[in-house]
């Protein structure tokens, strides 16, 4: 009878061990599924980050080009302004000379 009790006890332990193994296997499968989902989400986020990085780089490049173009046009406008100022100054001098000559001529 003692042997039968030990056999029943061993049988119960084996059944519990089999249940624990099944539970552990199910838990491992669930963890693997969760890992696969997290990996897919990570890959999707990585792709989104790469796209965003490319967009930011493109915008920054365009702004840098726009800035360079704006500096070029500002330089051109400044150059033209200098030329116009010089021309107007020269014309103003000529006008004064002409008026002065005209005044002298009118006085004669």
């Amino acid at each position: 009878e003692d042997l039968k009790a030990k056999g029943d006890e061993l049988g119960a332990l084996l059944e519990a061990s089999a249940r624990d193994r099944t539970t552990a296997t199910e838990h491992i499968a669930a963890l693997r599924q969760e890992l696969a989902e997290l990996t897919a989400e990570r890959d999707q986020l990585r792709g989104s980050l790469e796209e965003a990085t490319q967009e930011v780089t493109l915008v920054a490049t365009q702004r840098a080009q726009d800035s360079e173009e704006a500096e070029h046009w500002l330089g051109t406008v400044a150059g033209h302004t200098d030329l116009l100022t010089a021309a107007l100054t020269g014309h103003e001098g000529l006008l004064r000379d002409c008026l002065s000559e005209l005044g002298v001529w009118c006085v004669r």
Side-chain angles (χ1 to χ4, degrees), residues 17-31:
S17 176
R19 281 193 306 271
D20 288 348
R21 200 170 337 164
T22 300
T23 301
T25 301
E26 290 170 352
H27 189 65
I28 288 170
L31 288 173

Side-chain angles (χ1 to χ4, degrees), residues 35-71:
L35 177 61
E37 290 170 4
L38 289 172
T39 300
E41 186 177 342
R42 180 205 63 201
D43 292 344
Q44 182 181 6
L45 289 171
R46 183 178 287 152
S48 296
L49 178 61
E50 287 173 3
E51 285 179 27
T53 300
Q54 289 173 356
E55 287 178 28
V56 167
T57 302
L58 178 63
V59 168
T61 302
Q62 288 173 342
R63 287 194 178 166
Q65 289 171 348
D66 291 347
S67 177
E68 288 174 13
E69 188 174 335
E71 285 180 32

Side-chain angles (χ1 to χ4, degrees), residues 3-4 24 31 47-49 64 69 72 80 82 87 91 106:
L3 190 56
K4 183 175 181 326
L31 288 173
S48 296
L49 178 61
E69 188 174 335
H72 166 75
H80 287 220
D82 291 345
H91 286 288
C106 286

